[in-house]
């Protein structure tokens, strides 16, 4: 991999102004990265960039021109991205499939799948030309098995496949591509939905269905993302890493009443 001597490594986090993306930006800044906070919410991106000493950029992942401009700008101004994290996403309520409109389906696909593809190709091609780089896509455990959030889960399953395919396309050029699949993560959007009592068919705390008996904190997802983006993971590519407090592992125990509630005396 060709590098510029003493160049601070640059990480571009798309969807970086809120939620998991914001946690990733904060951690990567603490770990010494020069962070570009890229988000459709330009004002929130600016606030976070000032907080962490990073750079704010406005971008809409549904617009290929904006993504290409972002990639070219980072290349010209900062010497290119050493790492790209794609954390932007469109969500949905739990709906029967017949209630998902074509407009809603197309929007979710455009943001989650096509948007991820646009970002990966815009930055990945530049990384390949320079001889190295790392991409981490945020997928979801809902993309790993059947899920009642049908449109969202379908796009995340496709992102996992896209990640593996791009890892094979660019691996010989020194570009690593991995995915992180969070479980239910305690970001503001999720907490707001719970407080309003909507968007779920499950009663109670969904963390009870996980092997660890809890949900995931945004910082825990960020730790996995930063590791995969860094050179500490230089031999890792094409993987999908669940960060879900053991939710996926425990899904097969539901017919037996869920994970065992062990105690220190048992």
């Amino acid at each position: 991999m060709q590098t510029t001597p003493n160049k601070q490594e640059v990480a571009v986090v798309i969807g970086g102004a809120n939620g998991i993306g914001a946690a990733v930006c904060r951690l990567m800044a603490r770990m010494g990265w020069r962070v570009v906070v890229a988000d459709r919410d330009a004002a929130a991106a600016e606030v976070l960039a000032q907080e962490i000493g990073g750079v704010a950029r406005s971008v809409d992942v549904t617009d290929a021109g904006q993504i290409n401009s972002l990639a070219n700008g980072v290349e010209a101004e900062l010497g290119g991205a050493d790492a790209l994290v794609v954390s932007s996403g469109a969500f949905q309520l739990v709906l029967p499939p017949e209630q998902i409109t074509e407009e809603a389906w197309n929007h979710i696909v455009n943001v989650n799948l096509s948007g991820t593809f646009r970002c990966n190709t815009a930055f990945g091609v530049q990384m390949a030309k320079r001889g190295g780089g790392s991409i981490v896509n945020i997928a979801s455990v809902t993309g790993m098995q059947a899920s009642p959030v049908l449109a969202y889960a379908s796009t995340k399953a496709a992102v996992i496949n896209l990640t593996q395919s791009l890892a094979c396309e660019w691996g010989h050029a020194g570009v690593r591509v991995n995915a992180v699949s969070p479980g239910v993560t305690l970001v503001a959007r999720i907490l707001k939905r719970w407080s309003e009592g909507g968007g779920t068919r499950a009663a109670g705390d969904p963390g009870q269905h996980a092997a660890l008996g809890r949900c995931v904190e945004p910082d825990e997802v960020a730790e996995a993302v930063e590791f995969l983006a860094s050179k500490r993971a230089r031999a890792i590519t094409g993987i999908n890493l669940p960060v879900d407090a053991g939710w996926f592992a425990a899904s097969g125990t539901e017919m037996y009443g869920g994970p065992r509630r062990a105690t220190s005396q048992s």
Side-chain angles (χ1 to χ4, degrees):
M1 175 179 175
Q2 298 175 352
T3 59
T4 302
N6 302 318
K7 173 184 176 290
Q8 184 180 18
E9 289 194 307
V10 174
V12 177
V13 183
I14 297 181
N18 298 283
I20 289 173
V24 170
C25 287
R26 290 187 174 98
L27 177 62
M28 295 192 86
R30 291 197 301 271
M31 295 295 289
W33 297 80
R34 175 71 161 160
V35 178
V36 178
V37 185
D39 202 285
R40 187 176 63 173
D41 188 342
E46 185 62 45
V47 169
L48 181 56
Q50 290 184 10
E51 173 194 328
I52 65 174
V55 178
R57 292 290 183 268
S58 176
V59 69
D60 184 338
V61 299
T62 67
D63 188 325
Q66 290 189 31
I67 295 170
N68 290 329
S69 294
L70 173 65
N72 292 335
V74 171
E75 191 81 16
E77 299 165 25
L78 301 174
D82 299 286
L84 169 72
V85 179
V86 183
S87 184
S88 52
F91 304 93
Q92 70 165 104
L93 296 176
V94 177
L95 295 171
E98 64 272 16
Q99 293 182 18
I100 303 172
T101 66
E102 185 169 353
E103 179 183 12
W105 175 276
N106 289 340
H107 173 67
I108 292 168
V109 170
N110 195 15
V111 173
N112 294 357
L113 177 56
S114 300
T116 299
F117 173 75
R118 294 179 190 110
C119 295
N120 278 227
T121 52
F123 284 88
V125 168
Q126 292 182 345
M127 290 176 178
K129 288 179 180 177
R130 291 197 311 274
S134 177
I135 297 172
V136 182
N137 295 316
I138 302 300
S140 169
V141 290
T142 63
M144 298 168 61
Q145 64 176 22
S147 171
V149 284
L150 179 63
Y152 177 80
S154 296
T155 61
K156 293 303 186 178
V159 165
I160 293 169
N161 184 276
L162 175 67
T163 295
Q164 295 170 334
S165 299
L166 292 179
C168 295
E169 290 290 330
W170 294 329
H172 280 213
V175 180
R176 297 184 297 108
V177 190
N178 293 294
V180 169
S181 282
V184 178
T185 305
L186 299 177
V187 297
R189 173 186 57 83
I190 292 293
L191 296 173
K192 180 175 184 293
R193 185 172 294 180
W194 285 354
S195 69
E196 294 173 348
T200 180
R201 293 204 305 234
D205 178 6
Q208 67 184 313
H209 303 291
L212 294 181
R214 64 177 179 85
C215 295
V216 180
E217 296 290 344
D219 287 350
E220 294 173 321
V221 181
E223 292 280 0
V225 171
E226 196 279 331
F227 168 72
L228 288 175
S230 75
K231 291 184 176 62
R232 305 192 307 281
R234 58 190 174 273
I236 301 174
T237 195
I239 70 157
N240 173 49
L241 175 61
V243 181
D244 62 350
W247 178 87
F248 182 77
S251 60
T253 70
E254 287 304 303
M255 65 182 293
Y256 304 101
R260 178 168 176 256
R261 270 60 173 177
T263 66
S264 59
Q265 287 78 34
S266 63

